[in-house]
Amino acid sequence: YDFQAIILELLDWLGTIAFAVSGALVGVRKPDPAIFAHAIAPLGALPEAALHIGDDQHADVHGAREHGMTAVWLLLDMV
């Protein structure tokens, strides 16, 4: 199931972000470098020119940095 769209909608970011990539749709899960490569391929961007924002320190931050991307760890208050 694709929770990505639900999270973006809850954050009211759907109209702000041009596109998002979800492991549920790609068939590869973070921190696999393939998902990060898939995310930037349509842009023709190099990893060092891309920014990944995620809420999981290992899968998002570590995974993106291992692929050469800048990463931001988004801490969500779930309480």
Side-chain angles (χ1 to χ4, degrees):
Y1 190 75
D2 181 19
F3 290 103
Q4 187 80 22
I6 295 169
I7 293 170
L8 292 174
E9 185 175 354
L10 288 173
L11 293 172
D12 196 28
W13 287 2
L14 281 177
T16 306
I17 297 174
F19 72 96
V21 175
S22 169
L25 300 177
V26 175
V28 178
R29 295 180 54 109
K30 297 174 287 182
D32 189 317
I35 194 163
F36 297 101
H38 182 86
I40 62 173
L43 302 172
L46 296 174
E48 55 270 16
L51 171 67
H52 176 75
I53 301 171
D55 63 348
D56 184 285
Q57 187 175 23
H58 178 71
D60 291 308
V61 176
H62 178 73
R65 287 182 179 163
E66 284 294 310
H67 188 60
M69 298 170 72
T70 299
V72 172
W73 184 14
L74 180 65
L75 297 174
L76 300 174
D77 183 9
M78 300 303 252
V79 179

